[in-house]
């Protein structure tokens, strides 16, 4: 992750959560005491977000000490201690909720990405995400996808040309749309076209685009369309595919399958933050 952007985001999140101060913790006599806390998994999963722990507590107080026991991308079991944080009680608790919220969501995404790879069970096809991310959290969520062993599609609209249904309708079809964008983009920008039938696939092939997306196509349709595409053009299946239908696409021949569910329908992994009993200090 971009460390400068990470710290800027965390500062924004902490300002939102802490407001003018943590009135609960700051009212306690023990708020300034030095303590340690464990970050503990309450269910199994795949970890994503160790940078959030490190950078988060660095933003709160640079004197805090973080010890990690797992790396991003590693699986963990229920009950495992993922990290220990040491510092003043008020600093520990000020960062707890924001850090846990991000860590839980990112680990949920990484866990789903790992599961998707297992469900598909076809190493010739790469699982990737979409732009269906939570506004403000795209960097975190796309990083988590990679931690789970999947890949990123576009990070933003500026990354590549993706001519979808509305672009094609507005431009008068695949040929005119591709010609129009190629007159304006540089040689480093790839062009992908979304197709919904055999006619559009053949038009995209004729236009020699870089990537052809088979949108809302069944596994049988993907196999048929794939036969029409020369080997130098990358293909992607997208739309209407989830973990319940993913296994049906094994062996379909396309290069990528993009899953919006990796980020828009994920369940956060349950992770807790617990102060260690005083006698263990």
């Amino acid at each position: 992750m971009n460390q400068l952007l990470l710290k800027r985001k965390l500062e924004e999140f902490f300002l939102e959560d802490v407001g003018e101060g943590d009135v609960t913790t700051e009212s306690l006599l023990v708020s300034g005491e030095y303590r340690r806390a464990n970050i503990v998994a309450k269910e199994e999963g795949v970890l994503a977000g160790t940078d959030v722990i490190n950078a988060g507590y660095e933003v709160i107080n640079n004197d805090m000490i973080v010890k990690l026991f797992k790396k991003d991308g590693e699986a963990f079991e229920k009950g495992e201690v993922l990290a220990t944080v040491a510092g003043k009680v008020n600093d520990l608790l000020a960062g707890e909720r924001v850090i846990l919220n991000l860590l839980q969501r990112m680990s949920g995404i990484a866990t789903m990405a790992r599961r998707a790879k297992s469900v598909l069970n076809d190493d010739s096809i790469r699982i990737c995400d979409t732009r269906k991310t939570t506004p403000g959290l795209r960097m975190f969520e796309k990083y988590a996808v990679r931690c789970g062993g999947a890949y990123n599609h576009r990070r933003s609209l500026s990354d590549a040309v993706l001519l979808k249904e509305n672009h094609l309708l507005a431009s008068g079809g695949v040929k005119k749309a591709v010609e129009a964008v190629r007159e304006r983009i540089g040689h480093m920008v790839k062009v992908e076209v979304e197709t919904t039938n055999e006619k559009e696939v053949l038009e995209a092939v004729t236009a020699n685009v870089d990537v052809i997306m088979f949108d809302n196509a069944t596994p049988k349709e993907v196999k048929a369309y794939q036969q029409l595409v020369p080997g130098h053009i990358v293909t992607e299946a997208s739309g209407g595919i989830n973990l319940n239908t993913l296994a049906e696409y094994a062996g379909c021949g396309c290069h990528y399958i993009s899953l919006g569910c990796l980020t828009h329908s994920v369940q956060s992994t349950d992770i807790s933050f617990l102060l260690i009993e005083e006698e263990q200090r």
Side-chain angles (χ1 to χ4, degrees):
M1 283 190 289
N2 181 318
Q3 295 298 307
L4 290 175
L5 181 57
L6 171 61
K7 288 184 179 180
R8 182 183 299 174
K9 287 282 189 182
L10 286 167
E11 288 173 353
E12 175 188 335
F13 299 154
F14 286 136
L15 285 171
E16 175 190 60
D17 191 51
V18 176
E20 296 183 6
D22 179 0
V23 294
T24 304
T25 306
E26 290 172 4
S27 300
L28 298 175
L29 295 177
V30 296
S31 64
E33 286 189 8
Y34 187 89
R35 297 286 293 272
R36 289 188 300 129
N38 287 333
I39 296 176
V40 184
K42 297 181 73 175
E43 60 182 326
E44 64 179 25
V46 176
L47 183 61
T50 55
D51 279 354
V52 170
I53 305 173
N54 277 322
Y57 277 114
E58 184 178 336
V59 169
I60 293 291
N61 187 330
N62 196 42
D63 292 331
M64 303 185 76
I65 299 173
V66 175
K67 185 174 183 180
L68 302 171
F69 301 110
K70 287 284 185 178
K71 296 178 181 179
D72 286 343
E74 290 186 341
F76 54 80
E77 300 296 326
K78 179 179 179 180
E80 277 198 76
V81 177
L82 307 177
T84 296
V85 187
K88 294 180 179 178
V89 170
N90 58 313
D91 292 331
L92 290 170
L93 299 183
E96 171 194 3
R97 179 45 51 201
V98 166
I99 290 171
L100 275 187
N101 285 350
L102 290 170
L103 190 65
Q104 290 180 126
R105 179 158 184 82
M106 292 172 71
S107 295
I109 291 170
T111 302
M112 180 178 276
R114 184 70 53 82
R115 183 182 170 201
K117 285 189 63 180
S118 177
V119 169
L120 180 61
N121 193 29
D122 185 342
D123 291 337
S124 69
I125 303 175
R126 288 183 170 184
I127 300 291
C128 67
D129 56 25
T130 70
R131 280 173 43 248
K132 295 178 181 178
T133 54
T134 308
L137 297 183
R138 181 168 295 173
M139 177 181 71
F140 299 92
E141 295 180 346
K142 282 188 170 284
Y143 174 79
V145 166
R146 299 197 301 276
C147 289
Y151 295 81
N152 295 147
H153 204 282
R154 292 186 298 174
R155 295 175 184 272
S156 69
L157 292 173
S158 62
D159 278 355
V161 171
L162 175 45
L163 295 166
K164 305 190 79 173
E165 180 182 19
N166 287 326
H167 301 109
L168 300 179
L169 285 171
S171 303
V174 173
K175 183 176 184 294
K176 289 183 178 180
V178 173
E179 288 176 348
V181 297
R182 281 195 168 144
E183 286 181 3
R184 293 165 175 81
I185 61 172
H187 67 290
M188 298 297 289
V189 181
K190 290 189 176 183
V191 177
E192 178 174 8
V193 171
E194 177 185 271
T195 63
T196 57
N197 53 56
E198 182 177 314
K199 178 177 178 291
E200 290 178 344
V201 172
L202 291 172
E203 288 176 349
V205 170
T206 300
N208 196 31
V209 299
D210 299 292
V211 186
I212 296 177
M213 178 195 295
F214 308 134
D215 188 43
N216 288 304
T218 66
K220 182 178 179 180
E221 289 171 333
V222 171
K223 288 182 180 180
Y225 295 158
Q226 188 68 39
Q227 299 304 310
L228 305 174
V229 181
H232 69 280
I233 296 179
V234 175
T235 56
E236 172 192 347
S238 182
I241 307 173
N242 54 48
L243 294 190
N244 294 325
T245 60
L246 183 58
E248 301 170 17
Y249 287 82
C252 68
C254 66
H255 299 97
Y256 288 86
I257 294 178
S258 54
L259 300 175
C261 64
L262 292 182
T263 53
H264 71 57
S265 300
V266 71
Q267 180 174 333
S268 295
T269 303
D270 196 0
I271 300 172
S272 64
F273 183 97
L274 298 171
L275 287 177
I276 297 172
E277 295 290 340
E278 282 191 58
E279 59 266 28
Q280 297 183 36
R281 285 188 292 170

